Amino acid sequence: MEKQGRIDCPALPPGWKKEEVIRKSGLSAGKSDVYYFSPSGKKFRSKPQLARYLGNAVDLSCFDFRTGKMMPSKLQKNKQRLRNDSLNPNKGKPDLNTALPIRQTASIFKQPVTKVTNHPDNKVRSDPQRLADQPRQLFWEKRLRGLSASDVGHEILKAMELPRGLQALGPVPDDVTLLSAVASALHVGSVPVTGQLSSAAEKNPAVWLNSSQPLCKAFVVTDDDIRKQEERVRRVRKKLEEALLAGDPAGSRGQDE
């Protein structure tokens, strides 16, 4: 990525800086990301993070995160939109959809047609497999790039370390994206996660990719791997139990008695 350098942001309190970073590779090459830095050097990647940090000190309702300027016209549009939403009872409901960012492409193939008549002998026929097997966008896992979890202090949590046997395949940029792809497959998939079993997928993943599996080479979980993981969980639970007992003197005395 190419950094443009940090500049002062007059719309924010003194000492705040704005930085624009242009992407130089990938499908989004040429696009830019905007970051803000507090006087102490803390980095902010989004307007919600900025609003939580500043609180009531600065009104960001008409602040444009990309340009770094106050846009009164934007506030007026938001008020008009809220006014229209209040008149429409179907709008304003929270979006509880937790689906992953997978684009579902409309089928371009002919669908079976059932002719419905009043004849009692008429049978409605359908192909459940064809209805359930909808086309999916290839390499959609790349949309997970850049997503990360953060704690209550808005600090990014350290990513998990993947096993050596889990190797990326195709246009997966890093281990963090591969971990998100595997977790997504476990969350929404209905088949065991085995990776790409076909050796041809390594040569040309765009043709031989199995879209129901994450973008990684085939791997095998052995009994020894399971035993090591169980032992790791047992040690962590033991540490947690000791920490809880250390923080609860009354419970510790009760156990000693």
Side-chain angles (χ1 to χ4, degrees):
M1 291 188 178
E2 180 181 352
K3 298 183 178 179
Q4 300 293 323
R6 300 181 186 179
I7 60 175
D8 293 331
C9 183
L12 298 178
W16 282 81
K17 302 287 185 180
K18 172 178 175 289
E19 181 181 56
E20 187 172 0
V21 182
I22 300 178
R23 302 175 186 176
K24 302 182 64 176
S25 61
L27 297 177
S28 59
K31 296 183 178 180
S32 62
D33 299 311
V34 177
Y35 305 102
Y36 288 86
F37 294 86
S38 67
S40 61
K42 186 176 179 63
K43 186 176 182 180
F44 297 87
R45 294 175 169 80
S46 66
K47 185 175 178 179
Q49 285 185 349
L50 201 61
R52 286 194 295 268
Y53 183 81
L54 292 173
N56 296 327
V58 180
D59 184 9
L60 299 178
S61 56
C62 58
F63 177 73
D64 187 74
F65 190 83
R66 177 155 290 277
T67 61
K69 299 178 181 179
M70 292 294 182
M71 309 288 287
S73 59
K74 186 175 182 180
L75 178 60
Q76 186 65 27
K77 290 181 180 179
N78 290 338
K79 289 183 178 179
Q80 183 64 32
R81 179 176 56 82
L82 292 174
R83 189 180 299 110
N84 294 336
D85 291 346
S86 63
L87 297 177
N88 190 343
N90 295 326
K91 291 186 178 181
K93 296 181 179 179
D95 184 9
L96 302 179
N97 184 16
T98 58
L100 293 166
I102 308 173
R103 185 175 67 189
Q104 299 292 342
T105 306
S107 177
I108 61 175
F109 305 103
K110 293 182 179 179
Q111 298 295 322
V113 177
T114 301
K115 183 179 180 181
V116 180
T117 66
N118 294 328
H119 298 290
D121 296 334
N122 181 59
K123 294 182 179 180
V124 179
R125 294 180 298 175
S126 62
D127 187 354
Q129 180 64 26
R130 185 168 184 176
L131 294 176
D133 188 13
Q134 296 291 336
R136 297 175 63 182
Q137 181 185 15
L138 289 179
F139 311 133
W140 66 268
E141 289 88 348
K142 295 202 304 183
R143 295 190 178 191
L144 302 174
R145 183 179 183 180
L147 299 179
S148 56
S150 59
D151 57 17
V152 293
H154 310 298
E155 295 293 335
I156 298 180
L157 299 177
K158 183 180 178 182
M160 296 173 57
E161 294 184 1
L162 296 176
R164 295 181 179 179
L166 196 60
Q167 301 179 4
L169 182 148
V172 175
D174 48 41
D175 289 346
V176 177
T177 306
L178 176 58
L179 176 61
S180 301
V182 174
S184 302
L186 292 171
H187 178 65
V188 302
S190 58
V191 296
V193 178
T194 59
Q196 301 295 326
L197 299 178
S198 175
S199 58
E202 299 184 21
K203 299 179 181 179
N204 194 344
V207 176
W208 301 104
L209 184 71
N210 181 1
S211 59
S212 63
Q213 294 293 331
L215 292 174
C216 62
K217 297 180 181 179
F219 59 91
V220 178
V221 179
T222 63
D223 292 338
D224 187 50
D225 294 332
I226 297 175
R227 283 192 294 269
K228 289 180 179 179
Q229 183 63 23
E230 290 177 344
E231 178 62 23
R232 189 178 295 113
V233 172
R234 188 191 66 78
R235 290 198 302 267
V236 172
R237 288 180 174 176
K238 184 65 177 178
K239 290 181 180 179
L240 178 60
E241 180 183 1
E242 294 174 354
L244 292 175
L245 292 176
D248 186 7
S252 179
R253 290 196 303 269
Q255 189 179 35
D256 293 339
E257 293 174 359

